[in-house]
Amino acid sequence: MSMTIKNITGRIIYDSRGDKTIEVEVNVDGFIGQAAAPSGKSRGAKEAEPFPPGGPEVALSILRSNIAPKLLGLGIKDHRTVDEVLINLDGNWNFSKIGGNVALAISIATAIAISKLKGVSLYAYLASLTNTEPALPLPLGNVIGGGKHAGPGAPEIQEILVIPRNPNTINDAVFANIKVHKTVGKLLEQKITNYPLGKGDEGAYAPPISVERALEVVYDAAKKVEDELGVKISIGMDVAGTNIYNPSKKMYVLTSVGLYLDKEDFLQYLAELSDKYEIIYIEDPFNEEDLESFQNLSKALPKTYICGDDLVVTRAELISKAASLKAIRAAIIKPNQVGTLSLTWDAVKTGKDFNLLLVASHRSGETTDHYLPHIAVGFGCKVIKAGIMGGERVAKANELIRMGEHLKTVQRLMSS
């Protein structure tokens, strides 16, 4: 079935941090898809460039003057035809000429338009192309945040997360995370005098406490909610190791507790935290260039999902390398790290080849778009990491609930 791109327009909008990004509308035979791209603050060195030199304004100009003329009137079989044009038009692996955000917005908007034309949801359209049996992903949510997402005074580790592992319905899963978040807020009010419950970029609390005190609060809240709801809830961490690593001193720095640790001692520190707080998921535990330490932690914690984000940046070849060396058991999937749905699927497929836990993920600078749950389901990601609180985060959770009216199967997560 051949389809034709009738029109393509774009505009600058604002993400959840108040930063500019690109939103695109694509008209495929009268059916319009709309999508905006998010942006990350904690970015891997090998990610696609979100915008060309000059920022969103230049990206929008390129869309209008260079990209739109190439796509208008183009006959397409599916969104992959458009993705190929975008990749060839830029000519660089990191989309430095046109910007990964404009490429991704076009790619997803095209897929949404095609799904409307076919009369199916976005996830069903993607699943039909990838031969995926649709199932709802488990929500992994940020409860206490630190690092680049929160600023000085908050814990150095970027995210302390929770995940319901055996919910009966997606509503149960979403509610469990929300209840943990609210319980953590009450505990912080009790433990920290005059703390106004301030939050970071992703809607997680950003209290002036150490990493271990933060873990203790989340652990206690998770256990309380677990007992109340009868849903197994576990803890995860996004260390964002590159951001707390001092390359000149070759030390991981946790100033809140006066710790300056080399990679061996930091590994031991993470292993002890994992054991004490029953942590099942650790994302980017080390500097993204230190693949060996990822390997060593995976050996030390054989039942923990050691996850690569900055290490692999949704690139199939980097996922293959890290998985082949047994450095990771999980991989973050962020579509804007590579710039198109086609390249995102390449990464997912590679992860599946190695039997990795795949985590479809938001960015800290998010929009209210809710296509991420559809990508997670359509590509078969077992987990979705999209925050818990905040309008742009709740938009994803609410879309999962809507999808749950048609999809009854919810993923389960045992130990690695």
Side-chain angles (χ1 to χ4, degrees):
M1 177 183 177
S2 180
M3 298 164 283
T4 304
I5 295 183
K6 301 294 187 181
N7 194 28
I8 178 168
T9 60
R11 63 184 64 88
I12 292 174
I13 65 168
Y14 293 89
D15 66 21
S16 58
R17 281 200 299 265
D19 293 333
K20 294 177 180 178
T21 190
I22 295 292
E23 182 177 74
V24 172
E25 291 181 6
V26 176
N27 183 323
V28 178
D29 289 339
F31 292 85
I32 296 173
Q34 177 181 291
S39 293
K41 183 180 286 186
S42 175
R43 299 179 60 246
K46 299 181 180 69
E47 287 192 30
E49 292 293 333
F51 303 108
E57 288 84 0
V58 173
L60 184 60
S61 176
I62 291 172
L63 168 63
R64 291 169 174 169
S65 62
N66 293 6
I67 301 173
K70 295 282 187 182
L71 295 178
L72 286 177
L74 181 69
I76 61 174
K77 182 179 179 182
D78 52 48
H79 70 274
R80 294 174 293 193
T81 309
V82 170
D83 292 353
E84 187 175 349
V85 171
L86 294 170
I87 292 166
N88 291 334
L89 185 61
D90 190 287
N92 301 291
W93 66 269
N94 63 348
F95 281 102
S96 58
K97 185 182 295 183
I98 67 175
N101 275 21
V102 70
L104 182 68
I106 293 169
S107 179
I108 294 176
T110 302
I112 292 171
I114 294 171
S115 70
K116 289 181 177 180
L117 186 154
K118 291 178 176 291
V120 299
S121 62
L122 177 60
Y123 78 78
Y125 161 68
L126 295 174
S128 69
L129 294 178
T130 61
N131 294 316
T132 297
E133 185 66 33
L136 292 161
L138 293 170
L140 174 67
N142 189 2
V143 185
I144 289 183
K148 282 193 174 183
H149 291 174
E156 291 82 3
I157 283 178
Q158 190 161 278
E159 298 173 5
I160 298 174
L161 307 132
V162 292
I163 183 168
R165 290 166 57 181
N166 62 343
N168 290 322
T169 68
I170 195 63
N171 300 61
D172 293 343
V174 169
F175 180 66
N177 278 359
I178 289 173
K179 194 167 181 63
V180 171
H181 193 284
K182 290 184 176 182
T183 303
V184 165
K186 292 176 183 176
L187 292 175
L188 289 173
E189 282 184 310
Q190 295 169 11
K191 293 175 181 290
I192 306 173
T193 304
N194 297 324
Y195 174 54
L197 296 181
K199 298 184 178 74
D201 283 347
E202 296 181 355
Y205 298 108
I209 57 177
S210 68
V211 169
E212 189 149 356
R213 283 194 69 198
L215 280 167
E216 182 180 304
V217 169
V218 175
Y219 182 82
D220 289 346
K223 288 299 180 185
K224 184 175 188 298
V225 173
E226 181 177 287
D227 289 342
E228 290 176 4
L229 301 183
V231 176
K232 177 67 177 174
I233 301 172
S234 290
I235 293 179
M237 293 191 301
D238 178 0
V239 178
T242 298
N243 296 335
I244 59 174
Y245 181 69
N246 185 320
S248 62
K249 295 182 179 180
K250 297 184 178 179
M251 293 282 183
Y252 290 89
V253 181
L254 300 171
T255 54
S256 63
V257 286
L259 288 178
Y260 298 82
L261 305 173
D262 63 22
K263 62 183 182 180
E264 290 82 12
D265 288 339
F266 192 57
L267 186 153
Q268 184 61 34
Y269 173 77
L270 293 176
E272 289 172 0
L273 292 180
S274 179
D275 182 62
K276 184 174 182 179
Y277 298 104
E278 301 174 27
I279 294 168
I280 68 162
Y281 172 95
I282 304 178
E283 183 180 328
D284 276 352
F286 300 99
N287 167 30
E288 65 191 86
E289 302 298 330
D290 188 5
L291 191 60
E292 181 183 10
S293 290
F294 276 79
Q295 290 176 286
N296 292 337
L297 186 62
S298 290
K299 290 178 185 176
L301 299 174
K303 294 185 177 181
T304 303
Y305 288 102
I306 306 303
C307 182
D309 178 13
D310 292 348
L311 181 73
V312 297
V313 293
T314 317
R315 305 198 77 84
E317 69 276 13
L318 297 180
I319 290 173
S320 178
K321 178 181 179 182
S324 296
L325 295 172
K326 301 188 186 305
I328 57 173
R329 295 190 188 91
I332 286 287
I333 302 297
K334 292 176 177 174
N336 91 316
Q337 287 183 326
V338 284
T340 69
L341 280 175
S342 298
L343 291 171
T344 302
W345 170 246
D346 289 345
V348 170
K349 186 175 183 302
T350 300
K352 289 185 175 187
D353 289 343
F354 286 95
N355 199 30
L356 299 182
L357 177 71
L358 299 172
V359 183
S361 177
H362 63 169
R363 302 306 301 252
S364 55
E366 259 299 333
T367 72
T368 52
D369 288 57
H370 48 65
Y371 54 73
L372 185 65
H374 288 265
I375 293 173
V377 172
F379 284 177
C381 297
K382 198 168 188 177
V383 173
I384 182 169
K385 182 185 178 190
I388 298 175
M389 292 296 202
E392 70 283 356
R393 318 293 161 178
V394 173
K396 280 74 169 171
N398 286 341
E399 186 66 3
L400 285 171
I401 290 171
R402 296 183 195 104
M403 293 164 71
E405 295 174 0
H406 308 282
L407 295 171
K408 301 305 180 185
T409 303
V410 183
Q411 302 279 7
R412 297 293 181 102
L413 186 64
M414 299 300 107
S415 60
S416 173

